[in-house]
């Protein structure tokens, strides 16, 4: 039964509940209603509880689950399964609000991605994005978060990780991407920029530092990890 059918049924059940309520009010107008209180009230209460349970199972719970599913879709990239930019920025802001002592960010950009699309087609490019996300995910620890910020750009949020630890994680990810050629596009590499949060800078400034480190890795020849210095 789809959600629309459930809602229609719920409307019908609500009408029954309303009718029962009106019946109860009419009955209570009688002068002798107190003499018959226990059996009548218990029966009506039982009917109400059963109908309320039916409404919950048919509409309220599915509607809540549907709402939760829509929220997940709104915050995730449908192609790769990674958190999208909005979801990633929300989680990044939450981490900053909790004032975690050690928090690092890794920006990732697939090298020569336009060339992959031009040579193999956009379907192959989509396949590369999915495979890159899968390989990055296999290197992640339990608390790490993978986001796709747009196009061929990904990011990793690494809680409880200093700059040295983030460098190690980025290097593992870099090796995981290039170690085995992809069937659809051959060897695929990426460049990485790493920045540790200084505890007070804004999310925009932090991302900017990680981006600068990423661009430095690109300028140095790609397929490498570059570290961001302290904020000046």
């Amino acid at each position: 039964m789809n959600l629309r059918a459930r809602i229609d049924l719920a409307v019908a059940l609500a009408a029954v509940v309303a009718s029962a309520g009106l019946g109860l009010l009419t009955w209570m107008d009688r002068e002798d209603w107190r003499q018959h209180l226990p059996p009548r009230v218990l029966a009506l209460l039982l009917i109400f509880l059963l109908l309320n349970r039916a409404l919950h199972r048919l509409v309220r719970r599915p509607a809540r689950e549907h709402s939760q599913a829509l929220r997940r879709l709104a915050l995730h990239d449908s192609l790769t399964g990674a958190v999208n930019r909005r979801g990633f920025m929300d989680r990044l802001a939450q981490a900053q609000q909790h004032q975690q002592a050690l928090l690092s960010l890794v920006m990732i950009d697939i090298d020569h991605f336009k060339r992959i699309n031009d040579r193999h087609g956009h379907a192959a490019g989509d396949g590369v994005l999915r495979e890159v996300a899968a390989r990055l995910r296999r290197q992640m620890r339990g608390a790490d978060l993978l986001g796709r910020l747009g196009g061929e750009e990904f990011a990793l949020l690494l809680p409880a990780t200093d700059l040295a630890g983030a460098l190690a994680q980025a290097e593992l990810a870099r090796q995981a991407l290039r170690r085995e050629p992809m069937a659809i596009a051959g060897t695929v590499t990426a460049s990485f920029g790493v920045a540790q949060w200084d505890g007070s800078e804004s999310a925009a400034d932090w991302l900017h530092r990680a981006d600068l480190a990423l661009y430095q890795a690109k300028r140095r020849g790609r397929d490498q990890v570059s570290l961001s210095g302290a904020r000046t």
Side-chain angles (χ1 to χ4, degrees):
M1 184 183 297
N2 60 34
L3 186 59
R4 179 61 188 176
R6 291 173 187 269
I7 292 174
D8 291 341
L9 181 57
V11 171
L13 288 173
V16 173
V17 172
S19 178
L22 288 173
L24 177 60
L25 291 173
T26 301
W27 170 75
M28 289 179 67
D29 284 338
R30 294 174 46 180
E31 294 182 357
D32 62 343
W33 70 271
R34 288 184 177 83
Q35 299 176 7
H36 306 281
L37 177 64
R40 290 178 180 272
V41 170
L42 288 175
L44 288 170
L45 180 60
L46 179 60
I47 292 173
F48 176 79
L49 290 175
L50 290 174
L51 289 173
N52 186 62
R53 183 173 179 83
L55 284 170
H56 176 75
R57 294 184 62 184
L58 288 171
V59 176
R60 294 172 187 160
R61 185 170 62 187
R64 183 173 64 250
E65 293 171 351
H66 183 66
S67 176
Q68 291 171 348
L70 288 177
R71 177 169 174 79
R72 284 194 297 271
L73 287 174
L75 298 178
H76 285 76
D77 173 49
S78 60
L79 178 64
T80 65
V83 175
N84 62 21
R85 187 179 189 91
R86 175 185 171 187
F88 190 85
M89 295 303 295
D90 285 349
R91 292 283 296 275
L92 188 149
Q94 291 172 15
Q96 289 180 303
Q97 288 172 3
H98 285 94
Q99 293 291 317
Q100 296 184 16
L102 296 176
L103 195 61
S104 291
L105 177 67
V106 180
M107 299 293 289
I108 307 160
D109 191 84
I110 301 173
D111 297 328
H112 303 299
F113 186 71
K114 183 177 183 302
R115 186 184 302 173
I116 294 172
N117 277 330
D118 291 343
R119 288 183 177 179
H120 305 283
H122 290 281
D126 288 347
V128 167
L129 291 170
R130 283 192 292 266
E131 180 62 20
V132 165
R135 294 189 185 190
L136 292 173
R137 200 174 284 113
R138 286 194 289 269
Q139 301 301 316
M140 290 166 53
R141 304 160 302 177
D144 297 342
L145 178 70
L146 174 65
R148 183 185 175 200
L149 303 191
E152 66 270 29
E153 188 175 53
F154 293 84
L156 284 169
L157 180 61
L158 308 178
T161 307
D162 62 10
L163 194 61
L167 171 62
Q169 285 298 117
E171 184 59 29
L172 286 174
R174 187 190 70 81
Q175 293 176 15
L177 292 184
R178 76 168 344 274
R179 183 179 300 120
E180 183 179 347
M182 297 183 188
I184 49 180
T187 299
V188 174
T189 65
S191 302
F192 297 75
V194 181
Q196 181 181 343
W197 186 45
D198 70 359
S200 62
E201 65 187 323
S202 68
D205 288 342
W206 186 19
L207 283 167
H208 181 64
R209 286 200 298 115
D211 263 333
L212 290 177
L214 171 62
Y215 296 146
Q216 185 177 53
K218 292 283 190 183
R219 288 194 299 270
R220 290 178 176 176
R222 298 181 172 84
D223 187 24
Q224 57 187 277
V225 180
S226 179
L227 298 179
S228 170
R231 183 171 58 139
T232 57

